[in-house]
Amino acid sequence: MYEMVKGANVGLAGLSEDAGSVTVGLNWRSETGEGDADVSVLLLGPDGKVRDDADFLFYNNPAAADGSVQLLGKTPAEDGNEDRISLDLTALPPEVEYVVVAASRYGGARFGDLDDLRLTLSDRTGEGLARFRIDDAGVESAFVFGEFYRRGGEWKFRAVGQGYESGLAGLATDYGIDVDDSEEAEEAEEGADAGDVSADGGDGAAGPAGTLSGETSPPPGSAGTPAPSPGRSGPVGGLSVTIPAPVAGGQPTPAEAPAAAPDPAPVPTRRPRTARKKITLPKAVKKSLAENDAWPRARLFPAPSLKSDRERESRATSVLLSVMAQIPEFGRRLTAPYGAPAGRMETFTEVTLPNGDLPRRPDGVIRVERAGKLWTALVEVKTNGNPLKSEQVQEYMDIASRRGYEAVITVSNEVALEGRPVVDVKTDGRRKHQVSLWHLSWAEVTHQAQMLIRHEGVGNAAHAWLLHELLHYLQHENSGCHGFQNMGPAWIPVRKSIDDETLCQGDQRAVEVVGSWERLVRQICLRLGGELGQKVLPVWRGKRGEDAHARRSLLADQLCLDGRLHAELRVEGMSGVLALTADLRTGKLRTSMEIPAPEQGYPLSWAKRLVRQLGEAPADVHIETLVEAGAGARGGGGGPRGTLERLRPEPGDILPKDGARITGFRLSLFKGMGAGRGNAASGFIHSVDEAVDRFLSGVVVPLDRRPARRPQRAEPTPAG
């Protein structure tokens, strides 16, 4: 076994011919036998930072979605326990350049209290490849043991052995992970005006919350010198860092001149988000004190009185921007993708900006201050399906460029498509200051509010109540903030042309319908994600690297041939892919999902178990057996089929009579398709939403619910 010293590196290919998949073991022991630590793995991009929170693997997120990393837990070893990690380096996405292996301790415990700290590396067969012992641990409460990194098309391993006094919070921020206050800090801040956060990053540039700031980033894999304790400045990876401290909000500053940042105050220790916060939902509603049940409750953001588009637009702008400024988690979620730092946010509406002889009044302005530096954006809002105007947005882009703003953000019911801007503007490359144009759909705003309030939680009850009021407003019929709600003017002509069989390939109207269909699918993903608390993403089949516009043109040509719109949704945690097909010729919607056949057991047992699992599903669920192609199957792989109502008495009817090998089952529901292009109850969009919801509640939920096990009959005991 190759013995490594601190700072040494070695190519895995030189250690073993079978090093594409390796197992990492972390060992330690203590005199009392009670010392322990938590293992974590971080997947980093070329910049040495995580791409998102999913790249942080720990005990509450023990496996990567693609299976490349799995925390296997503790196993008994000859002198204690060993924490083991499985790494399939061949399955890692190409954008992952570094894999950091670390561990942390809590409650004031330090790694210096543990003995025999070491990392061992084994290949797929279990043969030991390398070992790295750490003998200089002291007051650190988090430790980077080592890292894997790509060089010249192969993977190498480096023995790091660097620690952090500030624990996992210091380690996490070093690699670009947002951190949350500990429970004690949250309780201390309860009731305070916690809308603002600021940090002093030294001379460096402002960065995201919980990340370090500086002129240069530390080289990936170098944890640097031990991090300072929270609330004090000190070197981390060669940079100066101060853990952000809360700043009292509520004191407005002029729209063009930021107030001086107050001196940071000591705060309790910050921890990374290693567990979901407690969701602060309002308590159960008690018996109403209303004299009449029809009395409506008073709302913070009333919507029934809104009558005109101008009123809706003005109210929606003010509601959205004010909640963003008052709830840091919410404001950060909406602005971080556009390059805004985590800092003290202030928002303004109906501001006046000079523009020649005619001053302009954008709907809003967002200003975020961090470490004395300012990030600013103009906001243009539309509601009730009203389109954004190119000339108006172009004018705001020019104003933002002249005044040094970083971005223009448009908000409307429209859902942006990949490779296709919502509104066309021209960028003047001669300007020294370039401005980014971003689009935010009302569906995305609703999604982020739902994720916070229903699944992840916010800092205090007042913020939770604000989010509830915001959601009530967004979902009110008068708000005009209902997301994508019109399939466009080409919808009716294309449907008629399909009925008449006169729609030809290359017809631009078919491309427009395919684009509207994609917007609807993306909005369904946002809605389901907010309701389920899981990632829901569209799956677009096509060649790798294929241009999005070219893909839509191919789908439009296919629509001309078969008259169908097709999409697939991948729901995190769901065993199969949810397929959705709209047949414009028959006027039918089909929602379906394929599930693989079990690896063990007999086909008749599989059929009985499937019918039993679907005991609460609708009787019109259509079940089709999938058989191996070329094994005597009809229709190129399709086997017997029937409705659940017919199969409940005789599950064996779903089995192929010729003994063909079963590969799985396809479950489907059919529904009539709405004709209108809008979002009315009789419209196409409403019928698609209903079809997806019915399939999830009627098929997916019963399928995932484990059937109760039958009690085993006790064997009779012989007398005497």
Side-chain angles (χ1 to χ4, degrees):
M1 185 177 291
Y2 184 70
E3 295 287 344
M4 303 187 69
V5 297
K6 186 174 182 178
N9 57 72
V10 62
L12 299 184
L15 297 178
S16 171
E17 296 179 355
D18 196 12
S21 180
V22 298
T23 300
V24 180
L26 299 185
N27 298 78
W28 46 74
R29 58 183 176 86
S30 62
E31 296 181 357
T32 62
E34 298 177 354
D36 201 0
D38 295 325
V39 172
S40 55
V41 175
L42 300 100
L43 307 180
L44 312 179
D47 59 349
K49 306 291 184 182
V50 297
R51 298 166 300 169
D52 52 45
D53 287 349
D55 285 345
F56 179 35
L57 289 304
F58 58 105
Y59 54 84
N60 266 0
N61 182 32
D66 56 9
S68 58
V69 182
Q70 296 186 49
L71 305 189
L72 303 179
K74 302 182 187 299
T75 58
E78 57 182 356
D79 54 352
N81 290 327
E82 180 184 48
D83 260 293
R84 299 170 65 243
I85 305 164
S86 172
L87 295 177
D88 187 352
L89 300 174
T90 61
L92 286 169
E95 59 268 22
V96 174
E97 293 283 341
Y98 305 89
V99 180
V100 174
V101 179
S104 56
R105 308 194 71 192
Y106 289 114
R110 306 293 176 181
F111 275 94
D113 302 329
L114 300 176
D115 300 322
D116 196 19
L117 283 165
R118 69 182 186 274
L119 177 148
T120 57
L121 184 62
S122 306
D123 64 9
R124 188 193 305 268
T125 65
E127 180 181 355
L129 303 180
R131 179 166 49 214
F132 170 46
R133 298 181 184 274
I134 299 174
D135 301 318
D136 56 350
V139 296
E140 302 89 351
S141 57
F143 233 93
V144 174
F145 283 70
E147 71 167 5
F148 298 84
Y149 63 100
R150 298 182 195 260
R151 282 294 183 275
E154 73 170 68
W155 283 96
K156 293 189 174 183
F157 175 77
R158 178 184 290 118
V160 178
Q162 292 287 348
Y164 295 79
E165 289 184 39
S166 56
L168 190 54
L171 184 150
T173 55
D174 208 351
Y175 292 108
I177 299 173
D178 292 345
V179 295
D180 286 338
D181 288 335
S182 63
E183 294 179 3
E184 292 80 9
E186 290 176 8
E187 293 175 1
E189 294 174 7
E190 191 98 4
D193 188 359
D196 303 325
V197 184
S198 68
D200 183 3
D203 296 329
T211 61
L212 302 182
S213 303
E215 298 287 1
T216 59
S217 299
S222 174
T225 55
S229 300
R232 303 197 308 272
S233 296
V236 180
L239 302 175
S240 177
V241 60
T242 299
I243 302 297
V247 178
Q251 300 297 328
T253 58
E256 293 297 329
D263 294 332
V267 296
T269 304
R270 295 176 67 87
R271 291 180 54 182
R273 191 186 300 118
T274 53
R276 288 187 175 183
K277 288 183 180 180
K278 180 181 179 182
I279 299 176
T280 50
L281 296 173
K283 296 180 180 179
V285 179
K286 298 180 180 179
K287 183 175 176 13
S288 175
L289 301 180
E291 182 180 330
N292 189 311
D293 292 339
W295 287 1
R297 290 186 174 274
R299 313 302 310 202
L300 181 64
F301 310 121
S305 61
L306 297 174
K307 301 300 180 183
S308 67
D309 286 343
R310 180 59 185 166
E311 286 179 315
R312 292 187 182 94
E313 181 182 308
S314 177
R315 177 72 59 82
T317 304
S318 184
V319 168
L320 174 62
L321 295 184
S322 63
V323 175
M324 287 173 61
Q326 292 303 314
I327 305 179
E329 302 99 316
F330 183 63
R332 173 68 177 150
R333 277 174 177 258
L334 295 184
T335 57
Y338 310 146
R344 186 165 64 94
M345 178 183 293
E346 288 190 354
T347 54
F348 307 86
T349 60
E350 301 294 342
V351 300
T352 301
L353 296 177
N355 183 45
D357 297 334
L358 296 174
R360 296 301 178 191
R361 299 183 66 186
D363 291 321
V365 171
I366 301 174
R367 300 169 70 81
V368 183
E369 181 193 26
R370 180 182 172 95
K373 297 189 176 182
L374 201 61
W375 180 92
T376 52
L378 297 179
V379 181
E380 173 63 14
V381 176
K382 295 294 182 183
T383 58
N384 211 35
N386 292 318
L388 294 159
K389 299 177 181 178
S390 297
E391 60 276 10
Q392 189 178 32
V393 177
Q394 181 72 68
E395 199 168 51
Y396 291 151
M397 290 284 289
D398 295 339
I399 294 174
S401 181
R402 289 195 297 269
R403 302 188 66 80
Y405 283 66
E406 277 71 26
V408 172
I409 301 174
T410 58
V411 186
S412 75
N413 299 74
E414 194 68 71
V415 176
L417 296 181
E418 179 186 358
R420 181 175 173 181
V422 174
V423 59
D424 292 323
V425 297
K426 296 180 181 179
T427 303
D428 190 348
R430 296 172 298 177
R431 291 188 182 275
K432 182 178 180 180
H433 184 79
Q434 298 298 320
V435 179
S436 300
L437 176 62
W438 303 96
H439 180 72
L440 181 64
S441 169
W442 285 115
E444 174 71 17
V445 175
T446 302
H447 167 79
Q448 295 296 354
Q450 286 177 319
M451 290 297 295
L452 275 174
I453 193 61
R454 295 181 179 176
H455 306 290
E456 299 177 15
V458 291
N460 57 52
H463 290 176
W465 177 71
L466 271 177
L467 280 178
H468 268 291
E469 291 296 302
L470 174 65
L471 275 176
H472 180 271
Y473 176 83
L474 294 176
Q475 295 169 350
H476 195 280
E477 58 182 5
N478 278 359
S479 70
C481 305
H482 303 135
F484 177 73
Q485 53 185 353
N486 196 310
M487 292 296 290
W491 174 250
I492 300 299
V494 165
R495 288 202 61 179
K496 289 182 177 179
S497 298
I498 289 177
D499 289 338
D500 300 338
E501 298 186 3
T502 58
L503 188 65
C504 302
Q505 292 185 350
D507 194 322
Q508 188 60 32
R509 297 176 303 174
V511 178
E512 293 177 13
V513 168
V514 168
S516 297
W517 170 251
E518 184 175 334
R519 291 187 180 93
L520 175 58
V521 171
R522 292 184 181 276
Q523 178 163 288
I524 290 173
C525 290
L526 290 171
R527 181 176 64 82
L528 292 181
E531 293 174 357
L532 302 175
Q534 305 286 351
K535 287 184 179 179
V536 183
L537 300 173
V539 180
W540 304 113
R541 308 290 183 182
K543 297 179 181 179
R544 185 184 297 272
E546 184 179 35
D547 178 70
H549 181 71
R551 172 173 55 81
R552 293 185 195 105
S553 297
L554 291 175
L555 293 176
D557 290 343
Q558 190 65 35
L559 172 64
C560 297
L561 291 176
D562 58 23
R564 293 191 185 100
L565 294 167
H566 183 73
E568 293 179 320
L569 312 181
R570 188 179 302 279
V571 182
E572 184 181 22
M574 199 169 80
S575 56
V577 173
L578 175 62
L580 179 61
T581 302
D583 193 327
L584 276 63
R585 286 178 175 166
T586 63
K588 292 287 187 181
L589 288 169
R590 175 175 183 162
T591 45
S592 62
M593 183 178 68
E594 294 182 7
I595 58 175
E599 297 180 358
Q600 298 178 347
Y602 298 96
L604 182 58
S605 300
W606 302 342
K608 289 181 178 180
R609 185 184 304 116
L610 178 60
V611 171
R612 188 166 60 247
Q613 285 180 298
L614 295 173
E616 299 180 9
D620 59 339
V621 171
H622 187 276
I623 303 178
E624 178 184 1
T625 303
L626 305 177
V627 298
E628 193 171 42
R634 305 191 309 270
R641 62 192 70 185
T643 62
L644 185 59
E645 182 179 25
R646 185 175 68 82
L647 294 172
R648 276 171 174 158
E650 293 294 339
D653 289 349
I654 200 66
L655 303 180
K657 306 304 181 186
D658 55 2
R661 179 176 173 269
I662 298 176
T663 60
F665 300 92
R666 181 184 291 118
L667 310 177
S668 305
L669 273 176
F670 294 88
K671 182 185 185 303
M673 190 173 68
R677 70 180 189 180
N679 199 31
S682 60
F684 175 74
I685 295 176
H686 187 75
S687 64
V688 174
D689 285 334
E690 282 189 338
V692 172
D693 292 343
R694 184 168 182 255
F695 188 81
L696 285 175
S697 61
V699 178
V700 176
V701 172
L703 197 64
D704 288 343
R705 187 182 298 124
R706 294 179 179 272
R709 297 185 61 182
R710 295 179 180 178
Q712 295 183 353
R713 216 159 92 183
E715 294 292 336
T717 304

